[in-house]
Amino acid sequence: MKPFCNGVSRLRARLCGHRAGIPATHTIPNTGKRALLGLLLLTLSPVASAAAQERRPVYFVDGYHGGIYGHYPVEWKTRFIVDELEAHPEWRIGLEIEPETWDTVALRTPADYARFKRIAADPRVEFTNPTYAQPYCYNISGESIIRQFAYGIRKIRSHFPDVEFVTYSVEEPCFTSSLPQILRLFGFKYASLKCPNTCWGGYTAPYGGELVNWTAPDGTSILTSPRYACEELQPNSVWQTTAWGNETPYIEACIRQDIAHPVGMCYQDAGWRYGPWIGSGDSIRNNSIYVTWREYFERISEGRTTDDYRFPQEDMHVSLMWGSQVMQRIAREVRRAENSLSTAEKMGAIANLSNGYLYKQGDMDEAWRTLMLAQHHDSWIVPYNGLHGKGTWADHIHRWTAATDSICAGIVAAAEGSLAAAGNGRKEFGIRVCNTLGTPRREVVRAALPEGFDAEGAVVRDIRGKKVGSVLTTSDGTKSLLFEAEVPAFGYTTYTVREGRPQKGAQTAPHAATEGRIVVENDMYRLEIDPARGGIVTSLVAKHLGGREYADAGSDYALGELRGHFYEEGRFRSSTETPAEVSVLCDNDLEKRIRIRGAIASHPFTETITLRKGDRKIDFDLRIDWKHNVGIGEFAQKDAFNKNRRAFYDSRYKLNIYFPVALDAPELYKDAPFDVCKSRLKDTRFSTWDNIKHDILLHWADLAERDGGYGLALLTDHTTSYIYGGGSPLGLTVQYSGGGLWGRDYPIDRPTHIRFAVAAHDGTWDEAGVHEESLRWNEPLLCDAGNTAAGSASLIDVAGSGYELSAAYPQEGSVIVRLFNASGDETPQTVRFGFPVSKIEEIDLNGRTTGSCDAAVRDGETEVRVAMPRFGLKTFRLTK
């Protein structure tokens, strides 16, 4: 019975672990300890019968998870691992240790480090997750996932050059649908979709038997051990599946499913002082055999299957504290930093291709490092936990992302400066507008005026001398340039600003109203706002779609309505209950902007709505100035540590902003990293841990009529949740406040501030270019004033291909270009480079050459034909 006793001790350790926000040395009060251990004892089962064991052998993957940020006691852990491996020759371990950990181990315990280094490439040890900071993956950009692997692999190999990365396996649900393609491009052969012992934040859907070909949206597959169809959620648990300890019910379920080689798994927290998880020697539970994942795939299993598992993103049944202020801040800061990095790298490439400019690679590496740390899964699931005695995870994320933003701002400024020439500062100056996307753009932009320039009557002209804009004076007296810019793909163009006569209509005409309908319209839309009902949109007419009305007048909800359940009042409250003041802030041909000041349950909010010429997107900026903390959610959760039902799950009760639209039988699509998922959910409602649904909004969600008619896209500036179906229109989560994971309170302690946008279109998301709209929203055009050197250039052009320029950056005398087929088909597409290229190599994500491309060079430009399936990735190395 030794494994049984050890299991109880380990479960006690788990109760005291960092997941609950309790130091490992913390002592639980006896009454609470007895109650919790009594509950956990119900999950333990006796040793399997001899008859069951005689039928087939069973296997177990053990290992450790954590790191210098996620908990790794440096003073003893490395020595402990080596000692335990020496003491138990039958043991095998998988390691999911943050790569940066080894820097600290080498510095602080060099003797232990040297011992471990000698066994790092031992067949009994397998590194199964080399990502730099163990991100969840489903909540960040696809490019961020690639960098997590690239930087992590580089760091580990700097310590252990002979380590191979063969199997991807993790302790938490760190998966996303596109991972098979990314893994294969890094050279991985196998994967596991199990995470049996730490499912607090969710789990993958059960599917299949012993092996599946986990297939990504592009068709790439990787041999995988899934969460078996028989691998149920552990009874009386809210964090485990039955595979966590190779107990009898699990083994018998595998036998009934006819799984020839059943395997269980547990990656222990690195802070736990336990060796072999289910026993050792002659006392291993159910006579299980320890294996590494690589050993299991190559020596135990058949090593192949015909079961192709096209893993949809909604098979990620995951949920975090969406809508809580701390989660909202983290998600917004991470998204902003992701956008900053994408922009900085691409601007660096534009300047490099134009004049040889090079940023310091060390600066860029550090910018990625601090963003990657902010993407750590613990950043998102335990944001209030302390970290290294220097504040909470949330505090560190704020500092990390601010550091990323600062470095990127410096790189962008230097790259822009390298393209600029000095202006005279008073009579005339230039504005260089840069486009970091691979498609041409025509958009309204704002630019600051340089100091000393006489702005009165100044006009903006393009390189042909045509007037495209003028000085705008906002309601607070601030002057800026507002003009319509037309910029080629991945390049720049220059505009000239000269003094001139004051122009009528150039200034805004601010005014406010509290009654009567307010109409705001431009060339794209006509909006009708009702101040008496809190500033809701009673009519939304898309002029560019033949005057189509989008507001659903027959809905029980209003477009733009804030509504949520204030459980201390015991009722739903709505912004329509209080009249609002509507002010016109900007009113000219290029931009219309209004401000709505209203209240939700007596708490004031300000919403700014902006329409721009030729732009399908309507921008919303929402700020709620809470008077005090207030409970918003289904009910007042008293203890969410081990409760199956939780108040923060059902988004119907959170404060949402709603978008009831008049569409005929629409279907919902949503993006995921390097993927777009067509939702199969009838609704997003769930209230218990064992019934989690995928209600995550990464960058955008789109409602489109089934017959390819009309649609409406919703874009958000942060990863969050949404609500839809079951009588509810599409809604964006704005606020939750109350009890959360491990009983922690998630309060309102500051204003809520988010940005989002909607875009009316016809056709499906891919036909309508919804993904491109999101890219334009996240990477706006860059304006650099003070440049008088006229000129225009397009350096990389993927227009018309459906491809996204996922990344472009200089590297060791070459330029790396990564393309993602976001909405195109598999037919060959032309990609144009605005410079001569002597060699184009296709490379994998490790940088190894996998092929060459035939290119045609004409008039100093290069064309190449590229073919890949939708949602496919290709990376090229360009040598000039």
Side-chain angles (χ1 to χ4, degrees):
M1 300 300 291
K2 181 179 179 182
F4 178 89
C5 297
N6 284 349
V8 173
S9 299
R10 287 163 188 142
L11 288 169
R12 283 184 59 191
R14 186 175 308 169
L15 291 175
C16 298
H18 77 288
R19 290 275 171 242
I22 306 170
T25 56
H26 182 84
T27 302
I28 299 176
N30 286 335
T31 53
K33 186 186 301 182
R34 285 195 298 269
L36 289 170
L37 289 178
L39 174 65
L40 291 167
L41 285 170
L42 294 175
T43 70
L44 299 175
S45 57
V47 175
S49 65
Q53 278 300 290
E54 288 173 358
R55 282 186 248 182
R56 66 197 67 189
V58 295
Y59 302 90
F60 194 78
V61 177
D62 201 352
Y64 292 107
H65 155 96
I68 197 65
Y69 297 97
H71 201 110
Y72 187 99
V74 174
E75 287 71 19
W76 61 268
K77 188 64 188 186
T78 310
R79 180 174 64 257
F80 176 82
I81 291 173
V82 179
D83 287 347
E84 289 292 301
L85 281 167
E86 291 177 350
H88 305 289
E90 76 282 7
W91 196 35
R92 307 285 191 273
I93 57 171
L95 291 180
E96 187 193 14
I97 304 299
E98 299 155 14
E100 200 173 299
T101 302
W102 304 111
D103 292 346
T104 305
V105 172
L107 179 67
R108 289 168 52 182
T109 58
D112 297 341
Y113 173 79
R115 287 182 67 202
F116 180 81
K117 191 167 184 175
R118 287 193 290 270
I119 66 164
D122 189 289
R124 293 197 298 153
V125 178
E126 184 177 15
F127 286 73
T128 65
N129 180 11
T131 55
Y132 201 88
Q134 303 172 355
Y136 276 126
C137 294
Y138 60 80
N139 58 333
I140 59 178
S141 72
E143 193 61 39
S144 287
I145 298 171
I146 289 175
R147 304 312 176 91
Q148 286 275 357
F149 277 96
Y151 278 98
I153 288 172
R154 188 172 76 180
K155 173 61 73 174
I156 290 175
R157 284 194 169 138
S158 72
H159 290 279
F160 316 117
D162 297 327
V163 163
E164 295 182 283
F165 301 101
V166 179
T167 311
Y168 179 75
S169 178
V170 291
E171 183 210 27
E172 299 220 21
C174 298
F175 309 108
T176 195
S177 57
S178 61
L179 261 185
Q181 179 179 203
I182 295 172
L183 292 171
R184 292 300 296 269
L185 287 169
F186 274 110
F188 285 78
K189 297 179 180 179
Y190 317 112
S192 169
L193 278 166
K194 298 177 183 292
C195 54
N197 63 304
T198 312
C199 302
W200 302 96
Y203 38 82
T204 56
Y207 175 90
E210 182 167 309
L211 297 175
V212 299
N213 296 315
W214 175 13
T215 306
D218 75 310
T220 301
S221 63
I222 189 167
L223 191 63
T224 297
S225 175
R227 178 190 159 198
Y228 304 147
C230 67
E231 185 182 332
E232 299 179 351
L233 300 178
Q234 181 79 28
N236 303 307
S237 172
V238 290
W239 67 88
Q240 292 170 301
T241 75
T242 53
W244 74 277
N246 271 13
E247 294 179 282
T248 301
Y250 171 65
I251 301 303
E252 292 180 343
C254 293
I255 292 171
R256 288 193 297 271
Q257 195 182 328
D258 199 27
I259 295 173
H261 309 95
V263 60
M265 172 189 169
C266 176
Y267 274 8
Q268 306 173 47
D269 190 297
W272 300 345
R273 195 182 288 270
Y274 296 102
W277 178 247
I278 56 173
S280 59
D282 296 330
S283 300
I284 302 176
R285 183 178 298 145
N286 281 330
N287 296 320
S288 300
I289 300 169
Y290 287 110
V291 290
T292 64
W293 276 120
R294 181 176 186 172
E295 184 178 14
Y296 177 80
F297 283 110
E298 295 182 349
R299 295 181 54 194
I300 307 301
S301 75
E302 291 187 4
R304 62 182 182 274
T305 180
T306 59
D307 189 355
D308 296 335
Y309 179 22
R310 288 193 168 271
F311 181 94
Q313 189 69 0
E314 286 188 339
D315 274 8
M316 288 297 300
H317 296 180
V318 287
S319 181
L320 298 175
M321 292 298 305
W322 308 120
S324 66
Q325 286 197 332
V326 65
M327 181 63 67
Q328 208 169 68
R329 292 197 304 275
I330 288 169
R332 294 191 78 216
E333 288 167 350
V334 167
R335 175 65 53 75
R336 186 184 66 238
E338 284 182 328
N339 293 341
S340 295
L341 268 165
S342 181
T343 299
E345 277 194 339
K346 292 175 183 176
M347 271 303 304
I350 289 173
N352 177 262
L353 292 169
S354 298
N355 57 28
Y357 163 81
L358 274 177
Y359 50 69
K360 293 180 180 178
Q361 189 58 49
D363 290 344
M364 186 61 74
D365 291 343
E366 179 62 14
W368 274 110
R369 173 184 170 272
T370 48
L371 170 62
M372 291 187 297
L373 292 177
Q375 294 169 334
H376 194 295
H377 67 272
D378 277 349
S379 297
W380 296 70
I381 198 167
V382 286
Y384 284 129
N385 274 15
L387 181 61
H388 296 169
K390 298 178 181 178
T392 65
W393 273 99
D395 296 331
H396 282 267
I397 293 163
H398 180 74
R399 289 191 285 268
W400 284 329
T401 54
T404 296
D405 292 337
S406 177
I407 293 172
C408 290
I411 290 173
V412 168
E416 289 178 325
S418 75
L419 298 171
N424 62 31
R426 294 196 61 82
K427 299 293 184 180
E428 177 182 310
F429 68 93
I431 298 177
R432 178 152 286 172
V433 184
C434 294
N435 172 18
T436 57
L437 302 185
T439 53
R441 300 164 72 172
R442 183 171 185 165
E443 299 171 24
V444 174
V445 297
R446 283 177 181 267
L449 289 159
E451 277 188 49
F453 183 77
D454 186 0
E456 191 68 24
V459 295
V460 184
R461 299 187 184 277
D462 63 18
I463 56 177
R464 296 178 296 274
K466 179 183 176 182
K467 178 186 173 183
V468 294
S470 56
V471 172
L472 173 75
T473 304
T474 57
S475 56
D476 63 0
T478 302
K479 287 181 170 59
S480 61
L481 293 164
L482 186 71
F483 63 100
E484 189 174 27
E486 189 171 358
V487 193
F490 199 71
Y492 56 84
T493 195
T494 308
Y495 292 84
T496 302
V497 183
R498 294 188 180 94
E499 291 181 350
R501 295 180 179 179
Q503 301 293 310
K504 292 183 179 180
Q507 278 71 37
T508 63
H511 59 274
T514 58
E515 58 184 28
R517 301 292 173 89
I518 304 297
V519 175
V520 182
E521 63 181 310
N522 69 348
D523 62 321
M524 301 296 287
Y525 294 99
R526 181 184 186 275
L527 273 70
E528 194 172 278
I529 311 294
D530 186 357
R533 298 181 60 200
I536 59 168
V537 178
T538 56
S539 176
L540 173 57
V541 174
K543 293 182 178 181
H544 61 291
L545 299 175
R548 168 80 180 198
E549 174 63 70
Y550 270 79
D552 186 358
S555 174
D556 293 333
Y557 299 78
L559 203 157
E561 174 188 2
L562 284 165
R563 183 190 296 195
H565 187 250
F566 289 66
Y567 56 75
E568 292 159 331
E569 298 183 37
R571 64 188 178 116
F572 281 87
R573 299 298 302 272
S574 169
S575 59
T576 62
E577 299 169 1
T578 306
E581 178 188 89
V582 180
S583 302
V584 178
L585 303 180
C586 183
D587 186 5
N588 58 68
D589 290 342
L590 295 181
E591 184 177 276
K592 312 282 185 176
R593 180 173 296 184
I594 63 169
R595 181 181 62 211
I596 300 171
R597 285 178 170 163
I600 174 73
S602 81
H603 301 274
F605 72 82
T606 303
E607 183 176 57
T608 304
I609 305 176
T610 304
L611 289 74
R612 297 181 181 88
K613 180 183 177 182
D615 195 342
R616 289 188 299 179
K617 298 182 297 298
I618 304 174
D619 279 2
F620 295 80
D621 187 295
L622 175 65
R623 177 186 171 101
I624 306 175
D625 290 294
W626 301 97
K627 295 178 179 179
H628 50 77
N629 183 32
V630 61
I632 304 174
E634 186 179 5
F635 57 91
Q637 185 95 50
K638 298 300 183 183
D639 178 12
F641 181 88
N642 60 352
K643 300 291 186 183
N644 191 39
R645 185 180 177 210
R646 290 171 174 170
F648 63 88
Y649 280 153
D650 196 334
S651 290
R652 291 177 299 169
Y653 295 90
K654 297 177 182 179
L655 184 66
N656 297 293
I657 188 162
Y658 287 96
F659 305 92
V661 290
L663 297 175
D664 181 26
E667 296 177 315
L668 187 137
Y669 296 82
K670 50 193 171 184
D671 83 316
F674 295 134
D675 189 14
V676 175
C677 171
K678 179 180 178 180
S679 180
R680 301 175 299 177
L681 301 175
K682 292 182 179 179
D683 60 66
T684 56
R685 299 179 181 178
F686 68 93
S687 59
T688 58
W689 174 80
D690 56 7
N691 190 37
I692 294 175
K693 298 179 183 179
H694 186 280
D695 63 349
I696 296 173
L697 198 164
L698 180 62
H699 295 96
W700 57 264
D702 185 63
L703 286 176
E705 293 177 328
R706 293 178 185 174
D707 62 359
Y710 296 96
L712 184 83
L714 170 63
L715 286 61
T716 173
D717 72 343
H718 64 293
T719 303
T720 185
S721 62
Y722 71 95
I723 181 171
Y724 184 66
S728 172
L730 179 62
L732 176 67
T733 301
V734 174
Q735 186 71 70
Y736 171 81
S737 176
L741 286 167
W742 300 286
R744 173 79 198 215
D745 185 38
Y746 283 72
I748 293 171
D749 58 8
R750 66 194 70 189
T752 294
H753 185 203
I754 62 172
R755 290 179 59 244
F756 53 93
V758 297
H761 62 83
D762 56 357
T764 56
W765 70 269
D766 46 353
E767 295 168 338
V770 170
H771 186 78
E772 287 187 11
E773 287 286 9
S774 177
L775 295 176
R776 286 190 284 268
W777 199 64
N778 282 280
E779 290 188 38
L781 294 171
L782 300 173
C783 298
D784 180 36
N787 185 320
T788 58
S792 181
S794 176
L795 300 167
I796 304 175
D797 191 340
V798 300
S801 64
Y803 293 175
E804 171 194 342
L805 183 60
S806 180
Y809 52 91
Q811 184 185 79
E812 298 176 354
S814 301
V815 174
I816 305 299
V817 173
R818 184 154 36 252
L819 303 178
F820 166 56
N821 187 350
S823 57
D825 58 27
E826 70 281 359
T827 60
Q829 302 293 325
T830 299
V831 178
R832 298 178 178 84
F833 301 105
F835 49 92
V837 179
S838 63
K839 183 169 64 173
I840 302 179
E841 302 167 279
E842 185 175 348
I843 60 176
D844 65 14
L845 294 178
N846 288 313
R848 293 188 290 255
T849 301
T850 58
S852 60
C853 300
D854 293 330
V857 179
R858 299 186 186 91
D859 299 324
E861 296 187 348
T862 307
E863 287 188 359
V864 64
R865 298 285 280 173
V866 177
M868 56 179 155
R870 178 172 288 191
F871 306 129
L873 286 167
K874 282 187 180 293
T875 307
F876 301 94
R877 181 187 293 118
L878 279 59
T879 304
K880 294 181 67 174

